[in-house]
Each structure stands twice: as structure tokens, then as C-alpha cells.
């Protein structure tokens, strides 16, 4: 399919260089990291669950897809402040990853990369501890052995349900799990990791990204043959809609994949996906949970998607030529999205919540954490602030 044809419906909205006032950015960094410093005493090395209830985290074990980003948020706070307390806190969580890896707790879905990449792979970079590296390569082997379908060339949603319609699917979220394969390839030279990641990218382009740059959340395959069946949703509004956060994993996942593969076809694809997202932003630049909703309404919002989109655009800007139209758009839009989150979602004075940003929705159709806080909201706020202030920052993904 020819990609790179999607145009901005309102180019004026993202025209020209836009900068967030330096004081606003520095205040946001201070506010977020000061809050994390207080919170780490309260968190006491337990992990926030996948969602929050009434803006409170229920603290528990390291067992779902979000905990890697909780640890990663501590590492970002360390890098932003230089305060070793954050690094020590993250290091103290390592044992829970070793235990989780040994027991394979909560590692039977596509989300293995979300668990190990922003936490343990990032910690390996700081510590150079070979034991961490060994575990992360083992995690990539596990993902490959148990979740990657050789027959179909894609990563299954779930091992447990791989033999039925609920599990024999692949999804947008997986774009942020394949960096684990890319990293494992770099560490081991084992070609199977690179081939699997490339195949996942090709399947995503072919079946999940529609001609107009929108995306299905899931794509189902035949349980026997693994031949393609149809696209559908899980966390979005409708099968033919575009779930905002799933789409954001593409806005970020494609440029990350480009850095590892240098596949030029990913760039126009990324532009289509990103322009689709920018064309569906409400006036305040905080998207609703599904791009079916653009006009002001009471639907759930997802500020985490605004942050993930900002990070994806800032990543892509690094290797686009200066005269590329989209480079200027990404500069402007990434700053506006980050600023919208700072302005609307970090009101710690007036609202008592456990996270760093509110207005994050885990799953509107399942009534899970509507306009609340989550570990991925926390992580991507800090990552966006880091990227904005340190364009040469080395990403964890
Ligand atoms: N599992 C990824 C997400 O909910 O965004």
C-alpha cells in the first residue's frame, strides 16, 4: 500500500516553531519529581496495580504489564534530578523482577517487553550488571518461544488463549514490545529476534493500519492456520474506530523500529499514523480515549496518549531532514501536547491523587480507570519532560 498521503486537515494549527516557556517546563519537572520523592516513601517498594480507583493506587506485587513503567519512572526521575534515592529505589525492585522471571508470573501475553524494557534493560545500562542482561535475554527468548507464531509471523495477544478467538490476535500495543527483540538481537546477534520484529512490523502495516492512517486495535487470525480474519477492538469504541492509546503505540513504536531497522518505508507510514492522530485532537489537545470523539463531550480522556504521541514525534524528529514538512509539524505538535498535559493534568494542589498525571483512561468499555492515573501516564510524563529538555537523551526502548 502507498503510504505518506495523509494531509493535515488544519495545517495552521501546528505551523511554526512552538516552545513551552522554560519556567513552565522546569516547574513541571520539579513538581513531578518532588512528588515522586514523597511518594517513594509511601510506595515502600510495592507496585501500583494496572489501574487506579478514585485516583488512588492499590499497591501490590510485580505481576501485570504496567510495573516496568513504574520502575522506569524512578529511573527517569533519577536522570532528571541526579538524586540517587530514585536509582536505589529502582535497584531495590530488581529482586521482584528476578522472581517474576523465574516464576513467569504475568508473562504469558504479548506485553513482556513493557515489563522488562523500561525497567531492567534501563537498569542494565546504569549498572552493567550481567545478571540483569541474562534475565532480559531470557525474557526475549520467552516472548519468542511462547508468544511468537512462526506460522503467522506475528506475536500472539495471549499464550493462554492462543487456541481461541480471544487470544489468536495481534495488536497495536505490540509495537512497544518488539524493542525487546531488537535489543536482544543487538546483544546476541541472534537473527530470529530481528526477523520476528520485522515480521510483526509488516503484519501491523498490512492488517492493523488502515489506508487513511487510522488503526484497528486488534487483528484476529484463524486459530488453526493463523491466516488473517478481521480487525476489531478491545479497548476502543467500536471495531471500525481507532483506540487512541493503541494508535499512540504506533506513533511511538514505528520511529523506534526505524532506528533499529533503518527501513525507510516506516517513515511515511509513521507520518500517516501521526497525522491521523493530530487531525483528531480536540481543541485542548488532550485526546478522548477513542478518535471517534473529537468535539467537546463527556467521553473519557487519555492524557497518556498525548504524552506517548509527543515522545514518538520527538523521536522521529531526530532523523528527519530539516526541510521535511513533518519535522516542523512534530516539533510544534509535540510541544503543544506536552504543554496541554502540564496545564490540565498536573493539578496536585487541588486534587489528591497518587500519580503524576490524571485524565488517563485504562479501558473505557470495561469501565477501568476513567480519567484517573496509571503508571504509564507517570512514566510518559517524565519521558516527555526528559526528551523536551534533553533532545539527546538515550531512550530506554
Ligand atoms: N496493554 C497496553 C495498553 O493498555 O495500552
Amino acid at each position: 500500500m502507498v503510504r505518506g498521503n495523509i494531509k493535515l486537515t488544519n495545517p495552521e494549527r501546528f505551523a511554526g516553531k512552538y516552545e513551552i516557556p522554560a519556567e513552565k517546563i522546569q516547574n513541571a519537572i520539579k513538581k513531578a519529581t518532588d512528588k515522586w520523592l514523597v511518594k517513594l516513601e509511601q510506595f515502600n517498594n510495592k507496585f501500583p496495580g494496572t489501574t487506579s480507583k478514585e485516583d488512588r493506587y492499590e499497591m501490590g506485587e510485580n505481576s501485570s504489564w504496567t510495573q516496568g513503567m513504574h520502575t522506569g519512572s524512578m529511573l527517569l526521575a533519577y536522570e532528571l534530578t541526579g538524586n540517587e534515592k530514585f536509582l536505589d529505589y529502582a535497584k531495590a525492585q530488581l529482586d521482584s523482577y528476578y522472581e517474576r522471571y523465574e516464576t513467569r508470573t504475568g508473562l504469558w501475553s504479548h506485553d513482556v517487553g513493557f515489563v522488562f524494557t523500561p525497567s531492567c534493560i534501563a537498569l542494565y545500562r546504569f549498572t552493567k550488571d550481567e545478571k540483569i542482561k541474562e534475565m532480559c535475554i531470557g525474557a526475549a527468548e520467552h516472548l519468542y518461544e511462547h508468544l511468537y507464531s512462526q506460522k503467522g509471523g506475528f506475536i500472539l495477544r495471549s499464550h493462554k488463549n492462543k487456541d481461541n478467538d480471544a487470544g489468536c490476535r495481534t495488536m497495536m500495543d505490540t509495537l512497544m514490545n518488539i524493542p525487546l527483540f531488537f535489543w536482544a538481537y543487538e546483544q546476541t546477534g541472534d537473527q530470529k529476534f530481528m526477523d520476528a520484529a520485522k515480521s510483526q512490523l509488516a503484519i501491523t502495516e498490512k492488517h492493523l493500519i488502515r489506508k487513511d492512517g487510522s488503526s484497528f486495535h486488534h487483528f484476529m487470525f484463524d486459530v488453526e492456520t493463523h491466516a488473517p480474519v478481521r480487525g476489531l477492538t478491545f479497548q476502543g469504541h467500536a471495531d471500525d474506530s481507532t483506540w487512541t492509546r493503541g494508535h499512540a503505540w504506533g506513533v511511538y513504536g514505528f520511529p523506534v523500529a526505524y532506528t533499529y531497522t533503518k527501513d525507510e518505508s516506516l517513515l511515511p507510514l509513521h507520518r500517516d499514523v501521526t497525522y491521523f492522530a493530530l487531525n483528531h485532537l480536540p481543541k485542548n489537545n488532550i485526546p478522548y480515549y477513542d478518535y471517534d470523539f473529537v468535539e467537546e463531550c463527556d467521553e473519557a480522556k487519555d492524557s497518556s496518549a498525548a504524552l506517548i504521541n509527543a515522545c514518538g514525534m520527538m523521536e522521529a524528529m531526530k532523523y528527519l531532514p530539516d526541510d521535511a514538512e513533518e519535522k516542523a509539524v512534530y516539533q510544534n505538535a509535540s510541544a503543544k501536547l506536552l504543554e496541554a498535559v502540564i496545564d490540565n493534568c498536573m493539578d496536585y494542589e487541588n486534587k489528591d491523587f497518587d500519580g503524576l498525571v490524571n485524565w488517563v483512561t485504562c479501558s473505557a468499555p470495561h469501565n477501568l480507570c476513567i480519567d484517573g492515573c496509571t503508571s504509564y501516564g507517570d512514566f510518559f510524563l517524565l519521558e516527555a519532560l526528559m526528551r523536551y529538555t534533553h533532545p539527546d537523551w538515550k531512550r530506554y526502548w
Side-chain angles (χ1 to χ4, degrees):
M1 192 181 300
V2 180
R3 300 290 189 178
N5 291 329
I6 308 304
K7 303 267 176 265
L8 286 178
T9 47
N10 181 3
E12 284 309 304
R13 184 172 175 182
F14 301 111
K17 193 167 165 62
Y18 186 78
E19 285 188 45
I20 306 173
E23 203 187 329
K24 189 185 277 194
I25 278 284
Q26 290 310 327
N27 281 342
I29 292 174
K30 182 158 170 33
K31 208 163 148 178
T33 52
D34 282 356
K35 180 166 183 178
W36 241 208
L37 208 49
V38 173
K39 282 283 165 196
L40 53 82
E41 306 288 335
Q42 293 169 19
F43 291 157
N44 196 22
N45 259 317
K46 291 273 177 209
F47 290 85
T50 317
T51 63
S52 54
K53 282 200 187 96
E54 289 169 11
D55 297 329
R56 293 284 167 195
Y57 286 143
E58 202 171 309
M59 302 304 289
E61 301 308 312
N62 185 351
S63 58
S64 86
W65 73 278
T66 55
Q67 278 96 33
M69 285 172 283
H70 180 64
T71 305
S73 74
M74 296 298 162
L75 294 172
L76 282 160
Y78 163 62
E79 289 202 87
L80 281 163
T81 61
N83 188 334
E84 302 253 338
K85 264 195 181 177
F86 292 117
L87 179 61
D88 292 343
Y89 192 86
K91 280 187 192 163
Q93 294 187 322
L94 258 174
D95 279 347
S96 76
Y97 287 93
Y98 287 126
E99 194 186 324
R100 185 168 177 178
Y101 173 66
E102 286 309 318
T103 55
R104 303 294 193 270
T105 303
L107 297 183
W108 298 97
S109 83
H110 62 287
D111 276 339
V112 178
F114 274 118
V115 177
F116 290 96
T117 306
S119 55
C120 300
I121 290 180
L123 264 168
Y124 171 61
R125 193 188 301 156
F126 293 121
T127 61
K128 293 281 165 270
D129 179 344
E130 290 296 305
K131 204 172 148 211
I132 303 178
K133 176 174 158 182
E134 220 175 281
M135 169 173 60
C136 295
I137 292 172
E141 291 282 2
H142 171 85
L143 182 64
Y144 185 84
E145 190 184 332
H146 297 287
L147 278 309
Y148 183 68
S149 157
Q150 305 275 354
K151 216 171 3 181
F154 59 86
I155 296 176
L156 288 150
R157 176 187 182 205
S158 144
H159 179 265
K160 209 173 83 202
N161 294 317
K162 68 180 178 180
D163 298 329
N164 64 38
D165 285 348
C168 195
R169 303 170 177 199
T170 204
M171 45 210 287
M172 288 297 286
D173 322 29
T174 300
L175 290 170
M176 292 304 280
N177 285 297
I178 56 173
L180 179 62
F181 279 167
F182 289 130
W183 177 85
Y185 169 72
E186 280 187 341
Q187 301 301 316
T188 62
D190 189 338
Q191 191 62 35
K192 73 173 187 245
F193 291 124
M194 181 54 94
D195 292 347
K198 282 185 173 171
S199 184
Q200 181 67 31
L201 284 167
I203 293 265
T204 305
E205 192 275 335
K206 190 166 174 197
H207 297 300
L208 284 135
I209 310 298
R210 305 184 191 102
K211 207 171 161 192
D212 65 355
S214 66
S215 59
F216 287 113
H217 179 200
H218 285 192
F219 199 93
M220 189 195 287
F221 294 83
D222 181 273
V223 292
E224 295 298 329
T225 62
H226 287 192
V229 178
R230 72 181 175 97
L232 64 173
T233 199
F234 183 65
Q235 279 149 282
H237 173 237
D239 284 349
D240 63 357
S241 74
T242 296
W243 175 51
T244 302
R245 194 169 62 255
H247 199 74
W249 298 132
V251 174
Y252 196 175
F254 287 128
V256 169
Y258 174 80
T259 66
Y260 290 104
T261 61
K262 297 288 179 286
D263 174 355
E264 294 291 325
S265 74
L266 290 172
L267 298 180
L269 175 65
H270 175 248
R271 190 171 85 166
D272 283 356
V273 166
T274 306
Y275 279 14
F276 178 87
L278 296 179
N279 283 340
H280 289 79
L281 282 178
K283 277 203 190 75
N284 68 359
N285 286 331
I286 306 286
Y288 292 102
Y289 80 95
D290 192 290
Y291 287 127
D292 267 5
F293 309 108
V294 181
E295 301 304 323
E296 201 177 327
C297 63
D298 290 333
E299 294 294 338
K301 299 174 280 299
D302 194 351
S303 63
S304 75
L307 295 165
I308 298 160
N309 285 342
C311 290
M313 287 187 277
M314 286 191 267
E315 177 65 26
M317 276 165 60
K318 290 200 284 193
Y319 39 77
L320 283 168
D322 282 344
D323 60 355
E325 170 209 289
E326 64 267 41
K327 183 166 177 163
V329 172
Y330 295 168
Q331 188 288 318
N332 182 301
S334 57
K336 284 183 179 158
L337 266 59
L338 173 56
E339 186 174 40
V341 176
I342 294 172
D343 289 347
N344 292 291
C345 309
M346 291 182 69
D347 187 4
Y348 307 154
E349 278 79 40
N350 298 328
K351 203 149 189 296
D352 205 9
F353 58 98
D354 277 342
L356 297 179
V357 289
N358 61 13
W359 291 5
V360 180
T361 293
C362 177
S363 180
H366 304 95
N367 201 23
L368 275 179
C369 184
I370 308 296
D371 293 340
C373 49
T374 66
S375 293
Y376 41 95
D378 301 339
F379 177 89
F380 283 103
L381 171 73
L382 294 174
E383 179 174 330
L385 289 169
M386 172 62 91
R387 282 181 175 276
Y388 194 83
T389 50
H390 300 79
D392 293 331
W393 174 71
K394 195 169 168 343
R395 59 164 201 275
Y396 299 166
W397 304 96

